[in-house]
Amino acid sequence: MIRRQSNPQGNAWWDKALAVTAETGNRVVISAVTRAAELAGIAPGMALADARAVLPDLFTLPADERADAAMMERLARWCGAYTPWVSLDGPDGLWLDVTGCAHLRGGEEALLNDLLERLSGYGFSVRGALADTPGGAWAFARCGEDRQVIPSGGTRAALAPLPVAALRLESETLSKLSRLGLRRIGDLYGLSRISLANRFRLDVVRRLDQALGSAAEPITPRAHERPYRVRMAFPEPLVQADDIAEALKRLLQKLCARLRQAQYGCRRLEFQCHRVDGDTQRLEIGTARPLRDPKQLARLFAEHLSQLDAAFGFEALVLSASGVEPLGALQEAIPVGTPEGDASGGAAGENGTAPLIDLLGNRLGFERIQRLQPVASYLPERAYRSVSAAQSDALSDITSDATSDADAAIAPHGAGAPWPARLLRPARLLKMPEAVETLSLLPPGEPGTPPALFVWRRVRHKVRAAEGPERLSPEWWRRDPAWSKGARDYWRVEDEAGRRFWLYREGPLRSGVPVTWFLHGLFA
């Protein structure tokens, strides 16, 4: 059990009567107390009004459940140095399955003492016990003597003098047992299991069997060990930035070697630095494409190493790949950028755009670096979509709703397909087409004629050459108000200054009927 009270040296309030309060329904109760408050008669679970009656000058602070949960997560990660099988037990407890791990610390008793002494040195008030069953360990840690190691086979006898509250029963059930004079766990041993189940349902029988080991109680670890993870411990703590960078370089080489053997590349890396005072410093980087180049990954980390606070030094460093994707072997003889190089993952090489995306993404955030991806539609407004530059094509196809199943069946090219080279499109497409004033040498609405002059944003442009038209019809399976007037005829026009524009006409294409012209894009 870990009580959520920290004793940092130099805090004046530690020697005073302080209690942490939490709201439970319409009541305010005490959830944690300092040693001074405990000696004055204040205990967790007591109503604040009763605590004030006992100690009028009691100082209180509201509980911060989010901060408590974050602290327990940090402690759970820290306990991974003793066993990979760690699980949270409520707001103030941890389960550790040390099966097969105790010999690494000199035995079960040495492991428990080392764990509790370290936590006590970090400022926590802790209790711990080691037993054959999770239920037994829970009972001894919370209701027994401090630092108990129950020998194998001795759980039944050691549980007998403990109160029935050590079986993790509800308060109503505890009250019923107390009225019947059943106050110790040993009092339940001689009773009929059928009578216990009939009077108290199955809770008492189930908890008793779990504590004695007659019923299984599996403990689910908080997280599985990451398969791509390397660790380095030091006899003397690292303090200098150059030493930390060199250690990180060696960790990257070991991790990338494992990734290369498995034909994977990392998309996200986490660098954990464990200080001698128990604090853990953490850095994370992401990549635009699967990557396993130690030098390039080291450059991405280099900009963030200054954020680490070594204090008295780091005693251990851990590097883990929290996100990996398949990456085939690269053929270094083929220049990066060729179709062969792209097929093998060469787009992420030094001459590609991926290093730049990695650099900007780790500085600004990958969600701010966008790229355009083709979409299955001939309509200009729907022919592309904006996705994260670090997002893979397969993932963007799944997460984007730009195309539906009907689109995939009817549209000319699928999402993520190469840009169609036969379609000439402007380098800049306006977000919304803008209406322009036009002047034509032929009668208004004469089919197949571009304007001789148009005015856009108060600037007159005299048309010198034109190419078109290219007719685009609306997608009949959509109800798009932007295409409510039917098909569009697009023209590529050039003015006297050599600037090229993408215009289209909208409206009935009949002689004598006026039409409306819009500018939709600009060519380079």
Side-chain angles (χ1 to χ4, degrees), residues 26 67 185 249 255 266 271 295 350 388 433 464:
N26 296 327
I185 296 179
K249 179 181 177 181
L255 181 63
C266 64
F271 183 43
K295 294 182 179 179
E350 293 294 335
S388 172
R464 182 176 64 181

Side-chain angles (χ1 to χ4, degrees), residues 199-220:
R199 184 178 292 269
F200 305 104
R201 297 180 296 179
L202 293 177
D203 293 344
V204 177
V205 176
R206 178 171 58 87
R207 288 301 190 185
L208 181 60
D209 288 345
Q210 288 177 344
L212 296 177
S214 301
E217 185 179 4
I219 301 299
T220 303

Side-chain angles (χ1 to χ4, degrees), residues 203-410:
D203 293 344
V204 177
V205 176
R206 178 171 58 87
R207 288 301 190 185
L208 181 60
D209 288 345
Q210 288 177 344
L212 296 177
S214 301
E217 185 179 4
I219 301 299
T220 303
R222 53 177 293 274
H224 294 288
E225 190 72 14
R226 289 168 180 164
Y228 301 104
R229 181 176 182 267
V230 290
R231 185 177 184 272
M232 186 179 293
F234 310 98
E236 294 293 334
L238 296 185
V239 179
Q240 299 296 328
D242 293 342
D243 296 336
I244 299 173
E246 179 62 26
L248 174 60
K249 179 181 177 181
R250 298 187 181 186
L251 288 174
L252 285 170
Q253 291 174 350
K254 293 174 61 178
L255 181 63
C256 290
R258 294 183 57 185
L259 291 173
R260 187 178 298 106
Q261 184 177 5
Q263 293 193 358
Y264 276 98
C266 64
R267 291 294 306 276
R268 181 159 295 277
L269 284 176
E270 181 180 7
F271 183 43
Q272 296 181 7
C273 305
H274 299 273
R275 290 195 323 204
V276 294
D277 60 355
D279 185 55
T280 301
Q281 302 283 312
R282 188 170 287 100
L283 294 178
E284 287 189 9
I285 64 166
T287 63
R289 293 290 185 271
L291 186 64
R292 56 170 180 255
D293 182 3
K295 294 182 179 179
Q296 190 168 343
L297 293 173
R299 284 197 294 269
L300 298 179
F301 271 114
E303 294 191 349
H304 305 283
L305 290 179
S306 60
Q307 302 176 9
L308 297 175
D309 181 14
F312 296 103
F314 296 122
E315 61 180 355
L317 302 178
V318 179
L319 181 67
S320 55
S322 55
V324 296
E325 290 184 6
L327 178 62
L330 303 182
Q331 187 169 352
E332 298 180 356
I334 297 179
V336 174
T338 63
E340 293 83 355
D342 292 340
S344 62
E350 293 294 335
N351 297 330
T353 58
L356 177 61
I357 296 175
D358 293 341
L359 183 63
L360 296 178
N362 284 285
R363 285 183 180 178
L364 308 176
F366 282 98
E367 69 280 357
R368 298 184 180 181
I369 312 299
Q370 301 289 314
R371 65 185 175 92
L372 300 182
Q373 185 184 60
V375 173
S377 177
Y378 281 118
L379 306 185
E381 297 94 327
R382 298 187 53 82
Y384 70 95
R385 63 184 171 199
S386 180
V387 299
S388 172
Q391 188 176 2
S392 64
D393 291 340
L395 182 61
S396 63
D397 291 344
I398 296 174
T399 57
S400 175
D401 59 355
T403 58
S404 63
D405 293 340
D407 298 339
I410 300 173

